[in-house]
Amino acid sequence: MKLKGTQILLKILEEENVEIIFGYPGGTVLDIYDCLYHSKLKHILVRHEQGAVHAADGYARATGKVGVCLVTSGPGATNTVTGIATANMDSIPIVVFTGQVPTGLIGNDAFQECDITGITRPCTKHNFLVRNIEELAATIKEAFHIARTGRPGPVLVDLPKNVMAEEIEYDPANIKIRNYEVFHKPAPKKMAQVFEMLFHAKKPLIMTGGGVILGKASLELTQLAQKYQIPVTGTLMGLGSFPGTDQLWQGMLGMHGTYYANMAVSHCDLLIAVGVRFDDRVTGTIETFASNAQIIQIDIDPSSINKNVVVDLPIIGETKATLKDLMKFLADHNYAPVPAQRKAWLAQIAEWKEKVPLTYCQNGKIIKPQYVIQKLHEVTKGDVIITTEVGQNQMWTAQFFSFDKPNTFISSGGLGTMGFGLPAAIGVKCAFPDKQVVDIAGDGSIQMNIQELATAAQYKINVKIVILNNGYLGMVRQWQELFYEKRYSYTDMTYAPDFVKLAEAYGIVGLRATKPEEVEAVLKEGLDMNKPVLMDFTVSREECVYPMVRPGASISEMTLDREITN
Amino acid sequence: MEKKEHIISILVYNKPDVLARIAGTLGGKGYNIESLCVNTTTSYEISKIVMTTVGNQATVTRIENQLRRFVDVIQVDDLTNIESIHREMILVRLNITSDKKDQIKKAIDTYKWKVLLLSDSYVVLEITGDKPQIDFALARLEPLGIADITRTGIVALQLED
């Protein structure tokens, strides 16, 4: 059967079970859009290409499937870069299709031409420029394969206009793709070593990360911890990979980690790190990180091993398969912790937790941001998918919202992209129309992709937006308060739109709470509506995120609180 | 840890941007490529890159792991740690002037340099050897007046499978 390039693209998208494309048309993709006009594929028209990538990213994070976007060449393509880098840092499988000028014009500075494969080379897992129709089908197939296998990541496919207009014989049976991936199955010897280390450990601790969620290994990790009563801490990306309401859960570690998690890491004698890459926000000073512990690191990517923290036992393998093997080995060899030892260790952590719990003080007439998050958890009973923006809103969410299930906390961890939350929430809601999806935002970051309210309104994508409005770029202001003697250089955002009126202007509902006693009612009202709703909470202006590990300090040295005078 | 030169052999798919990807990533992460040699293997589909970089073992292991992440990279070997043979080549042009003529002739005879081209005004030599041999030759060539020179990157071959 002879097909045009555009038809081959849409055909393969269907074969890959793509349900939805987030995109924005333009000159070089007109042919593809014309083909889409007749297609059954669902397409969401975003209002900015960055929004398309974040939406595809949110969709991928929530479903575990590959997210797809389609944009035009030149500025359309360059607008995707922040989104692609965001997905790359957090290893999220997405495929980005960009239009390109006809092959004959490439390199001529044609209208809306840019070397997008060159630009995105450092921030994609892989990218392709399709040079002729013969390679089109295999390239698209390969893009999906690369995005989802191994350590996942974004793949960009650049599609010159003339290639898409050509015709070729299409036979799915004839498409051959390279199998690039080497799957590592950890050697049994390694399992024996883990057994040995666990056997001798008096104070073991599990550290779970994004690799557990990406590797769909939450169940195995949870079983390992619960069966052998090993306490668990997690990175930001690991939230939800172990039940946040479980007794063994110690909260997030690192710069804004809990006191007890950071103390546990600093005092444990065995750290089992699964699917983490020891980011500097997690470790604090490398020299003192888990300095009393032997470290086991399980990761699918050899380049994550010994990159920042030198570990005692690296295990390269898929998190799920490795944890399964480990569980089996431990069971076969009748591993059991010494009850008194494990009891003493858990009691020690409980003591730290009692000494410095995660807390804040909701008194007076001003809403505390943490209170809004706690109320949101209460009202939804945690049955919700949360996206966040970046900054204080993100850290308070990580601290005060307990995530019990994987793929329910959707946040830009590695790159820390403001403006991620709203378009990501739109992507999540498209995947789970019956689930409550809430973007927890700050007044600064929500303005970075505010235009996507139009997308939500147009398609009746009923996302809820909770703005913790303190009139500042809160996290930057916090650093200025703590490290720059309160010189608030360009962080005051008081000049902002009236968010309620703005919501109404976009055709969605806007609600506002300015007093603590209004919080619950506004949340309930907003969440109950079958419409997109923006809820603006006027919160305490100069609240800080605590605990905080100062940059360059050990994670056991935390600033716990300050005198709050309001 | 001790810093030393590592010779890394990389088998890659012969794709248009594979070298850009490797060079870009290493450069972006602050690793310098000291020398580089690339060509196709017996199969046009597959190229071999031999590059040298300087660093301690941990840094070089990081570089290798980075390289292995690339979709188009098939195999990475650090030849520094396995028995291997190394060669470089220089092409050098010496201008034949009346005062240097005898010296040049004598040197070519003494060191058995291979003459590629000879005219009244210049001689072009091809010299191969390992790094010390090339450095030795360069020291002898210098006084003869080098008009132009090109030195290849290191090529290397491992001696065990």
Side-chain angles (χ1 to χ4, degrees):
Chain A
M1 176 179 37
K2 276 215 164 202
L3 289 182
K4 276 183 155 189
T6 51
Q7 293 170 311
I8 291 173
L9 170 65
L10 298 195
K11 198 148 185 57
I12 296 179
L13 293 185
E14 281 170 32
E15 285 169 20
E16 292 288 332
N17 297 316
V18 173
E19 303 161 323
I20 192 163
I21 303 170
F22 301 93
Y24 203 102
T28 55
V29 287
L30 271 166
D31 291 347
I32 301 173
Y33 270 86
D34 189 53
C35 205
L36 261 179
Y37 191 77
H38 307 285
S39 164
K40 281 186 291 239
L41 270 165
K42 196 170 168 191
H43 176 280
I44 300 287
L45 172 66
V46 295
R47 295 304 190 266
H48 185 290
E49 288 90 348
Q50 187 187 346
V53 187
H54 290 327
D57 177 323
Y59 174 91
R61 288 181 203 238
T63 59
K65 293 193 256 183
V66 179
V68 176
C69 26
L70 171 62
V71 301
T72 192
S73 63
T78 55
N79 275 345
T80 64
V81 172
T82 302
I84 293 172
T86 304
N88 193 49
M89 285 288 263
D90 293 342
S91 307
I92 306 304
I94 57 170
V95 175
V96 178
F97 293 101
T98 51
Q100 182 55 279
V101 300
T103 45
L105 290 180
I106 291 178
N108 281 10
D109 294 336
F111 177 66
Q112 293 196 329
E113 180 194 352
C114 84
D115 175 12
I116 195 63
T117 47
I119 290 172
T120 58
R121 208 173 278 137
C123 64
T124 46
K125 181 173 175 186
H126 197 65
N127 63 22
F128 298 94
L129 167 62
V130 181
R131 286 165 194 277
N132 53 61
I133 184 88
E134 288 79 19
E135 13 179 282
L136 179 69
T139 303
I140 300 169
K141 281 271 183 193
E142 216 170 305
F144 277 89
H145 176 67
I146 291 168
R148 71 161 77 92
T149 49
R151 178 179 180 169
V155 179
L156 181 139
V157 185
D158 204 16
L159 304 169
K161 186 166 180 162
N162 59 321
V163 171
M164 300 311 283
E166 281 173 41
E167 265 191 348
I168 195 171
E169 194 63 36
Y170 177 74
D171 179 6
N174 265 340
I175 303 173
K176 291 203 173 49
I177 63 166
R178 284 178 294 148
N179 199 2
Y180 75 102
E181 197 66 43
V182 183
F183 285 100
H184 302 271
K185 185 120 174 83
K189 197 179 77 188
K190 296 257 178 173
M191 295 305 151
Q193 281 173 278
V194 180
F195 178 89
E196 195 68 15
M197 289 162 93
L198 252 179
F199 185 80
H200 289 108
K202 295 188 178 75
K203 297 184 280 186
L205 181 69
I206 292 173
M207 172 178 170
T208 177
V212 174
I213 293 172
L214 291 166
K216 302 182 174 66
S218 297
L219 180 69
E220 288 75 13
L221 184 115
T222 305
Q223 285 171 344
L224 175 71
Q226 287 176 342
K227 183 165 182 194
Y228 299 112
Q229 287 295 294
I230 306 170
V232 185
T233 180
T235 66
L236 183 75
M237 299 315 294
L239 296 182
S241 61
F242 183 83
T245 47
D246 192 287
Q247 280 292 313
L248 290 165
W249 176 247
Q250 307 308 329
M252 183 172 73
L253 80 164
M255 181 170 273
H256 293 296
T258 64
Y259 174 78
Y260 37 103
N262 284 342
M263 291 303 274
V265 173
S266 303
H267 288 81
C268 67
D269 62 1
L270 177 65
L271 185 65
I272 306 170
V274 192
V276 306
R277 59 186 177 90
F278 296 109
D279 176 85
D280 55 276
R281 286 291 191 270
V282 160
T283 60
T285 314
I286 293 281
E287 292 73 37
T288 52
F289 178 78
S291 52
N292 296 305
Q294 287 202 296
I295 303 176
I296 298 169
Q297 185 183 2
I298 300 170
D299 203 280
I300 194 167
D301 180 4
S303 77
S304 288
I305 307 266
N306 288 343
K307 186 171 71 175
N308 300 323
V309 170
V310 177
V311 302
D312 300 279
L313 179 63
I315 303 178
I316 297 160
E318 291 176 314
T319 45
K320 191 183 184 80
T322 308
L323 290 173
K324 266 191 173 161
D325 282 3
L326 178 58
M327 291 284 286
K328 186 167 185 312
F329 192 95
L330 294 178
D332 288 352
H333 294 76
N334 300 316
Y335 167 73
V338 179
Q341 277 177 3
R342 194 55 50 86
K343 232 176 140 180
W345 172 227
L346 291 172
Q348 167 72 77
I349 297 176
E351 202 181 303
W352 285 322
K353 192 172 189 167
E354 199 178 342
K355 188 178 153 201
V356 188
L358 199 55
T359 187
Y360 67 96
C361 184
Q362 176 60 65
N363 55 8
K365 294 196 170 82
I366 299 164
I367 303 171
K368 285 296 173 71
Q370 302 94 323
Y371 177 73
V372 179
I373 290 166
Q374 274 197 329
K375 275 283 160 204
L376 178 65
H377 189 264
E378 213 178 287
V379 169
T380 58
K381 300 183 181 66
D383 184 21
V384 58
I385 301 177
I386 299 284
T387 72
T388 75
E389 304 290 341
V390 166
Q392 289 183 318
N393 60 80
Q394 179 188 34
M395 288 300 113
W396 282 318
T397 305
Q399 290 180 330
F400 290 94
F401 201 97
S402 298
F403 295 92
D404 275 339
K405 289 190 189 126
N407 312 92
T408 59
F409 172 69
I410 312 286
S411 191
S412 165
L415 198 66
T417 307
M418 289 170 71
F420 172 81
L422 173 56
I426 288 172
V428 175
K429 187 74 181 174
C430 288
F432 297 105
D434 300 329
K435 267 246 171 226
Q436 192 73 262
V437 179
V438 181
D439 171 30
I440 299 180
D443 51 301
S445 41
I446 192 66
Q447 293 186 67
M448 280 215 185
N449 270 321
I450 193 86
Q451 77 284 348
E452 298 308 329
L453 288 180
T455 310
Q458 179 187 346
Y459 295 97
K460 301 188 173 54
I461 301 167
N462 297 336
V463 294
K464 315 292 174 178
I465 300 140
V466 167
I467 300 180
L468 305 173
N469 189 344
N470 57 14
Y472 277 121
L473 293 175
M475 186 58 93
V476 185
R477 186 210 61 76
Q478 175 170 341
W479 281 56
Q480 289 172 336
E481 175 189 325
L482 298 174
F483 312 126
Y484 294 88
E485 294 157 337
K486 293 201 179 190
R487 289 186 298 277
Y488 295 159
S489 184
Y490 302 101
T491 42
D492 193 316
M493 297 284 280
T494 323
Y495 190 88
D498 178 326
F499 287 109
V500 172
K501 282 189 189 157
L502 187 67
E504 285 161 2
Y506 273 110
I508 72 166
V509 180
L511 300 172
R512 177 173 288 128
T514 55
K515 300 188 199 85
E517 58 270 25
E518 296 167 352
V519 169
E520 191 171 334
V522 165
L523 281 173
K524 279 185 171 160
E525 188 186 348
L527 293 171
D528 280 348
M529 276 187 220
N530 198 19
K531 289 175 183 165
V533 182
L534 182 152
M535 293 164 263
D536 183 22
F537 295 87
T538 310
V539 299
S540 160
R541 289 207 71 197
E542 300 200 359
E543 188 75 10
C544 284
V545 181
Y546 288 114
M548 178 171 192
V549 177
R550 287 171 182 253
S554 297
I555 59 167
S556 58
E557 300 159 18
M558 287 158 271
T559 309
L560 297 176
D561 207 346
R562 71 164 140 98
E563 290 288 311
I564 302 166
T565 48
N566 52 0
Chain B
M1 263 188 287
E2 182 206 358
K3 275 193 174 183
K4 64 170 188 173
E5 185 175 76
H6 288 253
I7 301 171
I8 299 171
S9 169
I10 314 158
L11 278 183
V12 298
Y13 288 103
N14 184 16
K15 296 272 176 166
D17 58 353
V18 67
L19 186 61
R21 207 174 286 279
I22 289 172
T25 299
L26 294 193
K29 292 188 186 281
Y31 307 134
N32 191 31
I33 298 171
E34 304 280 337
S35 105
L36 186 65
C37 240
V38 194
N39 215 328
T40 51
T41 57
T42 47
S43 156
Y44 181 74
E45 309 284 303
I46 293 171
S47 288
K48 189 185 250 186
I49 298 174
V50 178
M51 64 171 221
T52 60
T53 187
V54 174
N56 59 36
Q57 189 57 55
T59 306
V60 174
T61 305
R62 265 205 294 276
I63 293 176
E64 285 177 56
N65 285 335
Q66 279 300 333
L67 294 173
R68 288 196 184 99
R69 281 184 72 177
F70 292 122
V71 170
D72 287 329
V73 167
I74 303 162
Q75 196 180 328
V76 182
D77 292 299
D78 184 354
L79 299 185
T80 322
N81 302 329
I82 22 187
E83 210 184 329
S84 57
I85 187 159
H86 312 150
R87 280 292 177 273
E88 293 176 46
M89 183 171 93
I90 51 175
L91 291 180
V92 59
R93 177 163 54 85
L94 303 174
N95 285 344
I96 302 174
T97 53
S98 51
D99 60 322
K100 293 271 164 68
K101 194 174 176 180
D102 293 341
Q103 263 179 281
I104 291 172
K105 192 174 178 316
K106 198 176 161 218
I108 290 172
D109 289 343
T110 310
Y111 303 114
K112 300 191 168 49
W113 288 332
K114 182 174 172 187
V115 176
L116 283 187
L117 282 175
L118 180 65
S119 79
D120 290 344
S121 55
Y122 63 78
V123 59
V124 176
L125 306 173
E126 174 197 313
I127 303 169
T128 60
D130 60 15
K131 205 178 184 59
Q133 285 168 333
I134 297 291
D135 289 341
F136 177 89
L138 281 174
R140 303 301 174 280
L141 285 163
E142 201 79 47
L144 303 175
I146 296 172
D148 197 6
I149 184 165
T150 299
R151 183 173 183 168
T152 66
I154 295 174
V155 291
L157 192 72
Q158 66 188 75
L159 300 177
E160 37 191 293
D161 286 320

